Amino acid sequence: MDTELDFYSRPQRLTPECFQAWTAMKLAAHESGVTIFLISAFRSIAYQHQLIAKKLAAGQSIDTILQVNAPPGFSEHHTGRAVDIGTFNCDALVEEFDKTEAFQWLNNNAEGYGFSLSYPRDNCFGIAYEPWHWCFKKC
Ligand SMILES: [Zn+2]
């Protein structure tokens, strides 16, 4: 289903359960004075493909790209259950997100809403540390 518009005013899509959980979590964060917002949610396989093609065209090697972007068909964003989260005073999708109040809050509270960090530091998937990427897993 469609979510609120993201930071860049694009509509995003999530599964209804995930969207509900995200909304509840966002409100709870706001109540404790922490701002979190959607940077991106669902991505189609075609979009993921474009993203990678664009980086290849810009001269990045496929190895470098696949450290940060899952190959088309393998991204958790295809499931409609993953969200990239941002906050104020922090660039989008940077490791420094883990120094923010928002990240602290998520660390302490996100689990209660069914969200967990997909790619912690030194994760077993060989994917770069992504403190902003949280996946909804409660069934
Ligand atoms: Zn992500």
Side-chain angles (χ1 to χ4, degrees):
M1 69 187 286
D2 289 325
T3 66
E4 76 269 30
L5 298 180
D6 69 7
F7 188 54
Y8 305 105
S9 303
R10 300 170 303 193
Q12 297 282 342
R13 293 180 68 78
L14 290 170
T15 65
E17 307 82 45
C18 179
F19 179 54
Q20 244 174 33
W22 158 253
T23 304
M25 182 165 82
K26 190 178 64 176
L27 287 176
H30 281 223
E31 272 163 21
S32 20
V34 172
T35 304
I36 54 176
F37 49 73
L38 267 186
I39 293 179
S40 68
F42 175 81
R43 284 182 207 142
S44 69
I45 290 178
Y47 177 82
Q48 188 79 5
H49 181 80
Q50 266 177 20
L51 203 72
I52 291 175
K54 222 190 260 173
K55 290 188 175 182
L56 279 173
Q60 295 191 32
S61 79
I62 190 76
D63 288 348
T64 313
I65 298 167
L66 292 182
Q67 274 172 21
V68 290
N69 292 111
F74 291 90
S75 168
E76 277 187 341
H77 288 284
H78 301 324
T79 64
R81 303 165 79 87
V83 288
D84 289 337
I85 299 176
T87 189
F88 292 131
N89 305 318
C90 180
D91 286 340
L93 314 183
V94 293
E95 206 171 302
E96 286 67 47
F97 181 68
D98 73 359
K99 310 267 192 312
T100 64
E101 250 191 333
F103 183 77
Q104 281 307 322
W105 189 92
L106 286 166
N107 248 340
N108 295 331
N109 300 283
E111 217 184 303
Y113 296 89
F115 285 91
S116 57
L117 194 61
S118 293
Y119 309 116
R121 208 182 277 288
D122 302 321
N123 64 76
C124 56
F125 307 108
I127 294 193
Y129 176 49
E130 292 194 352
W132 60 84
H133 179 111
W134 294 73
C135 193
F136 180 70
K137 293 204 170 122
K138 207 190 269 172
C139 315

